[in-house]
Every structure is written in C-alpha cells, then in structure tokens.
C-alpha cells in the first residue's frame, strides 16, 4: 500500500474510536451564552491525553471574560513535531455553540447515532472537527514516515462572540504562529473567503409620559419606526453591491433585536435596537461603519427631541481571497476528489468566522472539515443538529492525506 492507502486504512480501523470521541465531546455542554466552557476544555484535554496527545491549557483571565459577558474559557494547543525544518500547520476548531433551543427529537447532549447520523448540539459545527483533526494527526503519526515540520491542534472557545478570546487570544499573546491553517468547515467545498460583520447597539432616548397626555412626552418608538424604515430601505442599495467571490452575493443589514417602553399606557421614552451588517470581502470595514452611523444619525435627526447613542458591539473583518493558500487548496481538492469521488470546488461563505484572525496576520488559510454541503443540511444552530458519519470518516482521510503532502 502507498502512504495514502495506509492513512485511509488507519482511519477506517479507528473510526469507531473517533465516533466515540465525538460523542464524549457532544455530551459536555458549551452553550454560549452563558459561555462556561472551561469544563469542556478540561474534558477534551483528558481524552487527548488518553490518546498520547498532551494539550497545553491557556485559560483566559476573568478581566477579559467580563468584557464579553462570558463565564470561562480555556483554549487548548496540541503541538506535534515531526522532522526538523518544514512548516507548521495549524488545525483550528471551536467548541462553543449557541444554546440548543426547542424542537429537538433527540437529546441535544446525547451524541445519539441513528441511521448513520450523530445527533447533538455542535455535532456538525464544530466539535466534529475536533475529531477530524485529532484523528487525522493520529493517522499521520501512526505511519512513522520521515516528515518535516509540525502540526498544531488549536481547540478554542469564542467563535460565537467573535473569536478575540479564542484564536485571537492565542495569536495576540504570541502562543502560536503557524505557517498555514485549516479551520473547521464542511467537506464538499474548500472555503477561501468569507463575509465580515458589524454589529451595533442603537439607543433612542425620548421622554416617557402618560399615554393620556402624549403631548408631554417624546415618543422614542415613533423615532425607532422611522429608523427601521430607513435601515431596511438601505438594503435596496446594498443589493446592488455585488461580490465577485463565488458563494457570496451582496451585503445585507438586519435588525435582530428590539427592546423598549415600560408599560402599555406609557409613551415609550427609550428604545434599543441591535443590528447586524454583513460586509462582503470587497468592502472596507471603516467605510461601512461610517456609512451606517451616518444613516442612523440622519434618520433620528428627523425626530425632534430624540437623542441617539450608537455603540459598536462587534467588528469582524472579512477574509479576503489569498494567493498564498494555493498549496492548501490544491492538496484538499486533490484528495477530496480521490476520497469523495467528485470535484471539490472553492467558494466563499456569507458567514464570518475565526479564520479572519489568522488571515489578518498574513497566515494562508482555508476552511475545510467534516459536514454536509450546506449549513442548513446539518441543522446547525437549529433543532436536531447532526453529522453524517461517513462525511466525518472521509474528511478525516482528506485532512490526513493533505497533512502528509504538506509535510513530506
């Protein structure tokens, strides 16, 4: 057998163990919020140690957690050095995930396997790639080949809040500086670019008064309705800004949360909106923020007596296409075709991810891992999230083969 066949055979022989590893990860909740994720990191480190992989633990201090409203984060790094020279390839997946919500027909923390699918919150996004990357590394180790370079596993816990306390913490504190990165994704495409995201909180201050005497108050909700109209009308402009990246269409603005008023018989004196502005890779984040702020201020100015406060909650830059990631793309596409029996295209995604933090430092990166063709197919962030186990098996083989090529 050649090296690829030996890697494939090792993955097949240890696949039940890989599934069991993923089940153990799913059974430890990582709902964010509240973001009490250090226990999952501790359990992951225990499971890795049992496989002979020592995980460095890098806890995020309380002062940093407080700013984000999170309870605990311990990020993990596993470093495996092969021969001298060569590149350091990092594999990053995040363990934090949104709460399960309602409507499940399977235990969201059960890791139940039914008809070839493993069910549970984060089974697809992205505890699945804790398993993909761990077992791809183990397969590579088992061959004992004369390779050059290093592999690092980065298991982090802050994707849902932007990543600054996950990969951002490891990178900004000099704990890692890889030459190449593969981050958690889905098996049927290699993602090479993604949208950015600006999230803002807008507070409109009027003057509360009794509804029987509305002329004595200043209605913040009326001002908010004018603002909502202006914001959603702006989407007509944004639809005309087309991205040249396959898989990404145009920017979009969404208002996801509204709070206001004190009682039915009171003129609302305060209304709070939270909005999300997706940015295509071609856009400049500073220009986008200035445009949104100007739009808000002009709209509110049409409501006399209303004062506006604008607070940035998140600014996640887009991941722009990179020429330097071509070795990663070529290897993943080559082995994806061999293992899956079909062409694996490159594309962008309208999501934003932690990967941008590596890309911002000039680290060539791609998004690839276990999972279906689309987020919707996996029910990620919805009830009955699941992973097709055959996708996990094949993605593990593709990643193991790719690591072999990059370190050979």
């Amino acid at each position: 057998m050649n090296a690829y066949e030996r890697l494939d055979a090792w993955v097949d022989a240890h696949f039940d163990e890989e599934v069991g590893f993923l089940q153990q990860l799913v059974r430890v909740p990582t709902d964010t919020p509240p973001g009490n994720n250090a226990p999952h990191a501790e359990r992951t480190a225990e499971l890795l140690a049992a496989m002979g992989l020592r995980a460095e633990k890098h806890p995020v201090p309380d002062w940093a957690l407080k700013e984000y409203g999170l309870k605990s984060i311990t990020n993990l790094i596993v470093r495996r050095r092969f021969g001298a020279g060569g590149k350091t390839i990092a594999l990053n997946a995040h363990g934090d995930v949104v709460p399960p919500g309602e409507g499940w027909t399977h235990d969201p923390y059960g890791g139940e396997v039914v008809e070839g699918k493993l069910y549970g919150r984060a089974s697809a996004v992205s505890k699945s790639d804790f398993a993909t990357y761990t077992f791809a590394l183990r397969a590579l180790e088992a061959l004992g080949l004369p390779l050059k370079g290093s592999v690092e596993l980065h298991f982090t816990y802050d994707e849902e809040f932007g990543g600054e306390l996950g990969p951002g913490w490891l990178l900004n504190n000099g704990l890692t500086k890889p030459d190449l990165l593969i981050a958690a994704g889905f098996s049927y495409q290699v993602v090479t670019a993604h949208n950015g995201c600006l999230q803002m909180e807008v507070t409109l201050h009027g003057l509360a008064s009794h509804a029987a005497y509305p002329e004595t108050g200043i209605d913040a909700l009326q001002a908010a309705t004018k603002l909502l109209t202006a914001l959603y009308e702006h989407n007509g402009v944004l639809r005309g800004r087309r991205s040249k990246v396959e898989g990404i269409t145009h920017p979009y603005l969404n208002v996801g949360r509204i709070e206001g008023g004190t009682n039915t018989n009171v003129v609302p004196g305060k209304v709070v909106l939270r909005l999300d502005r997706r940015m295509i890779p071609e856009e400049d984040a500073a220009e986008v923020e200035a445009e949104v702020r100007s739009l808000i201020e002009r709209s509110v100015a049409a409501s006399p007596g209303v004062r506006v406060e604008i607070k940035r909650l998140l600014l996640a830059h887009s991941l722009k296409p990179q020429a330097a990631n071509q070795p990663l793309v070529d290897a993943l596409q080559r082995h994806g075709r061999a293992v899956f029996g079909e062409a694996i295209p490159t594309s962008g995604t309208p999501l934003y991810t932690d990967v941008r933090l590596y890309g911002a430092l000039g680290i060539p990166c791609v998004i690839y891992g276990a999972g279906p063709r689309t987020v919707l197919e996996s029910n990620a962030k919805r009830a009955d999230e699941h992973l097709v186990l055959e996708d996990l098996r094949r993605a593990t083989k593709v990643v193991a083969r790719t690591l072999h090529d990059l370190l050979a």
Side-chain angles (χ1 to χ4, degrees), residues 273-293:
L273 312 177
R274 287 195 170 191
L275 63 87
D276 178 300
R277 166 65 158 84
R278 297 293 159 134
M279 300 177 286
I280 60 176
E282 291 87 347
E283 290 187 298
D284 179 88
E287 292 177 358
V288 168
E289 182 167 1
E291 179 183 52
V292 174
R293 285 179 178 271

Side-chain angles (χ1 to χ4, degrees), residues 217-376:
I218 300 173
D219 193 329
L221 184 54
Q222 285 194 34
T225 60
K226 293 178 183 178
L227 175 58
L228 286 168
T229 298
L231 291 172
Y232 281 115
E233 285 181 348
H234 186 58
N235 276 326
V237 175
L238 299 183
R239 289 188 184 94
R241 300 177 186 174
R242 310 298 295 189
S243 176
K244 295 180 180 179
V245 178
E246 184 71 28
I248 296 176
T249 54
H250 55 75
Y252 192 77
L253 191 152
N254 178 70
V255 177
R257 183 167 182 149
I258 304 174
E259 298 177 358
T262 56
N263 201 7
T264 310
N265 63 346
V266 177
V267 171
K270 178 180 174 181
V271 174
V272 181
L273 312 177
R274 287 195 170 191
L275 63 87
D276 178 300
R277 166 65 158 84
R278 297 293 159 134
M279 300 177 286
I280 60 176
E282 291 87 347
E283 290 187 298
D284 179 88
E287 292 177 358
V288 168
E289 182 167 1
E291 179 183 52
V292 174
R293 285 179 178 271
S294 176
L295 176 62
I296 293 168
E297 290 165 354
R298 291 197 313 271
S299 173
V300 176
S303 298
V306 175
R307 179 172 59 88
V308 63
E309 290 180 84
I310 306 172
K311 177 183 178 182
R312 181 208 290 172
L313 302 175
L314 170 72
L315 181 59
H317 291 269
S318 61
L319 176 67
K320 302 181 188 302
Q322 305 166 304
N325 67 5
Q326 201 59 45
L328 287 168
V329 173
D330 289 345
L332 289 167
Q333 286 187 311
R334 180 168 62 253
H335 295 300
R337 178 185 284 275
V339 172
F340 282 80
E342 62 180 88
I344 306 298
T346 60
S347 71
T349 177
L351 304 171
Y352 73 90
T353 78
D354 288 350
V355 182
R356 74 189 192 280
L357 300 169
Y358 294 90
L361 295 179
I363 299 167
C365 46
V366 296
I367 300 173
Y368 181 86
R373 296 177 191 276
T374 68
V375 172
L376 292 178

Side-chain angles (χ1 to χ4, degrees), residues 63-177:
W63 63 263
L65 294 167
K66 185 177 180 180
E67 182 179 348
Y68 288 82
L70 299 174
K71 300 294 185 183
S72 69
I73 291 176
T74 299
N75 297 307
L76 304 177
I77 300 178
V78 173
R79 305 182 202 265
R80 174 62 170 94
R81 183 74 185 168
F82 292 92
K87 297 185 181 297
T88 297
I89 305 165
L91 307 172
N92 171 238
H94 68 92
D96 60 311
V97 71
V98 298
E102 300 179 349
W104 287 75
T105 62
H106 302 269
D107 181 352
Y109 306 114
E112 181 183 3
V113 175
V114 180
E115 296 181 350
K117 300 176 181 178
L118 191 154
Y119 286 84
R121 177 52 87 227
S123 60
V125 181
S126 75
K127 291 177 182 177
S128 57
D129 285 329
F130 279 46
T132 306
Y133 299 157
T134 296
F135 278 75
L137 173 57
R138 289 187 62 197
L140 196 65
E141 284 186 319
L143 264 61
L145 296 173
L147 305 174
K148 296 180 180 180
S150 300
V151 175
E152 294 183 356
L153 306 180
H154 296 178
F155 295 149
T156 55
Y157 293 89
D158 183 34
E159 199 273 345
E160 298 298 340
F161 275 65
E164 296 294 344
L165 300 184
W169 188 262
L170 300 180
L171 294 165
N172 295 334
N173 285 284
L175 298 168
T176 183
K177 190 177 181 181

